[in-house]
Amino acid sequence: MAAESLRSSKLSRTEPKRALSREEIFGLVDAKLALVGERFSRGLGSDVEIVSAMGSHISQSGGKRLRPALLLLASGLCGYNGPHDILYAAVFEFIHTATLVHDDIIDGAEVRRGLESVNHRWGNHLTVLMGDHLYIKAMQFAIEAGDIRILDLLASITLRMIEGELIQSHCNGRIEISEEEHLDIVERKTATLFSGCCRVPGMLAGLPLERQRALAAYGLDLGMAFQIVDDLLDLTADERVRGKTTGNDLREGKLTLPLIYLVKADNPNHLEMIRAIVAEHGFSRVPRELVLDTLRAGGCLDRARSVAEQHAGRARAALAAFPEGPYKDALLSIPEFVLDRDR
């Protein structure tokens, strides 16, 4: 009875024994991440000169590689020792990069990760095609493994991401967008990809469906927390640290959670302030600092942060049934890393 109780206790922990640092988290999969990077860089190469030039520029921009790391850490948690974790980690990085390339066109971005954005350097027409190229490259890589279940999952994820972008573009400029509508967009555009990164290792390892769903739930809530924090950083971050312009969402007419809370308070002065920014696509009439001060004073930033923390807690809870070990500690530590990031 005591042994059973101890076993139950070990399998129900939802906090890391000790919060791991970023270096410790990524250190568990550094060697494999390097192989993912090599695979990704090779995939960006081409004997077509323009594709090769654009691919080289994308490769230089680097990135957090969080999604491949999640897939590799989840593979470790599942005990998967096969050859396909590196392949699928590269697949997810291609899908993610394709979305960034297309997003920069939609947003009219000039900078991405501290470098000139692809669309600013080569124009929208070539950049759309390059984004499409990256999506197809991802699917071409996935076909190598020949797992129709995962191909089906990847197709579903990509469709939901595109649907999310369509819904968001349709809602641009609508200051009456609800919290529920916004969070549906976040789930489609961001969290679904995180969920897939975490579910695929369970599929590769042949885990029971219940465990696969738990991994998917972890990724989904982690992705929700990640994007809500990203939206907060768009309002509050230091541009030099973040590597891109802040205030872009509101400038483009996209109301994120803190701004939705501000609008919901129904203060006429605040509504007029938001309408003015959305109408002019900028902050010449209303300084960005004034918006930030208003959000702070109304508790809107703290309220959005609380929603991110709730999702982070649910992500950790989803791993309760998984066995102890360094991979579980890393995955339990990532939600805190996501909440505390500054870029």
Side-chain angles (χ1 to χ4, degrees):
M1 185 72 175
E4 182 62 34
S5 175
L6 179 61
R7 181 175 178 274
S8 175
S9 172
K10 282 186 175 181
L11 290 177
S12 63
R13 187 169 58 84
T14 59
E15 295 287 344
K17 292 177 181 175
R18 175 180 62 83
L20 303 187
S21 67
R22 185 188 188 283
E23 290 70 25
E24 290 173 310
I25 293 169
F26 283 82
L28 287 169
V29 291
D30 263 349
K32 286 194 171 186
L33 272 177
L35 295 174
V36 173
E38 290 172 11
R39 184 92 194 222
F40 182 71
S41 295
R42 286 201 307 272
L44 288 171
S46 173
D47 55 4
V48 178
E49 185 177 350
I50 184 59
V51 175
S52 179
M54 295 173 83
S56 176
H57 184 79
I58 289 168
S59 183
Q60 288 172 27
S61 68
K64 294 180 278 292
R65 298 289 190 260
L66 178 57
R67 291 154 191 82
L70 278 172
L71 191 146
L72 296 172
L73 289 167
S75 294
L77 180 68
C78 296
Y80 176 71
N81 295 310
H84 295 319
D85 52 352
I86 292 167
L87 171 69
Y88 283 117
V91 166
F92 277 98
E93 190 64 6
F94 267 105
I95 294 173
H96 173 56
T97 304
T99 66
L100 296 183
V101 167
H102 281 162
D103 280 353
D104 282 348
I105 298 168
I106 294 165
D107 299 343
E110 297 182 1
V111 177
R112 165 66 64 181
R113 295 167 177 164
L115 294 178
E116 185 180 17
S117 64
V118 177
N119 55 295
H120 192 254
R121 182 161 181 176
W122 279 281
N124 289 347
H125 181 70
L126 285 177
T127 305
V128 167
L129 295 173
M130 187 62 185
D132 294 345
H133 178 84
L134 294 171
Y135 273 123
I136 299 303
K137 181 68 73 170
M139 296 307 162
Q140 188 179 51
F141 272 25
I143 287 169
E144 286 183 32
D147 192 324
I148 192 66
R149 302 169 307 151
I150 297 178
L151 279 169
D152 184 58
L153 176 65
L154 292 171
S156 296
I157 288 169
T158 305
L159 282 172
R160 283 187 65 78
M161 291 171 73
I162 294 169
E163 288 166 356
E165 188 61 63
L166 286 166
I167 295 167
Q168 184 173 67
S169 295
H170 180 66
C171 290
N172 269 9
R174 263 188 58 208
I175 72 166
E176 306 85 6
I177 186 171
S178 70
E179 179 177 357
E180 293 73 21
E181 287 174 309
H182 171 69
L183 292 177
D184 177 60
I185 292 168
V186 170
E187 181 178 319
R188 290 172 185 273
K189 282 193 62 182
T190 301
T192 298
L193 191 65
F194 275 76
S195 181
C197 288
C198 297
R199 180 163 195 160
V200 163
M203 298 169 76
L204 290 174
L207 294 191
L209 190 56
E210 181 182 344
R211 290 290 179 93
Q212 292 181 32
R213 286 173 176 161
L215 288 166
Y218 167 84
L220 193 75
D221 275 304
L222 182 68
M224 295 295 291
F226 179 93
Q227 187 58 51
I228 292 167
V229 170
D230 204 62
D231 292 342
L232 284 165
L233 289 173
D234 183 67
L235 293 163
T236 64
D238 184 324
E239 291 185 1
R240 293 167 297 180
V241 173
R242 196 168 185 235
K244 58 182 178 181
T245 308
T246 55
N248 271 342
D249 289 334
L250 182 54
R251 189 182 287 110
E252 293 154 12
K254 299 174 185 174
L255 267 65
T256 53
L257 215 48
L259 292 157
I260 289 168
Y261 292 146
L262 185 65
V263 168
K264 194 174 180 180
D266 207 26
N267 181 309
N269 293 331
H270 297 163
L271 292 175
E272 182 56 35
M273 178 175 69
I274 300 301
R275 287 193 183 100
I277 296 166
V278 170
E280 72 159 328
H281 302 290
F283 296 96
S284 60
R285 289 169 57 194
V286 180
R288 191 174 70 86
E289 293 73 18
L290 176 60
V291 178
L292 200 51
D293 289 343
T294 305
L295 290 169
R296 285 198 182 102
C300 302
L301 298 175
D302 290 340
R303 190 173 169 189
R305 168 83 183 187
S306 177
V307 175
E309 289 170 350
Q310 290 168 32
H311 281 290
R314 285 201 285 269
R316 286 189 289 265
L319 297 183
F322 285 87
E324 302 303 311
Y327 292 105
K328 181 173 180 177
D329 279 336
L331 290 166
L332 289 174
S333 297
I334 286 177
E336 201 62 36
F337 161 68
V338 162
L339 291 173
D340 290 344
R341 66 197 183 94
D342 60 1
R343 66 188 73 194

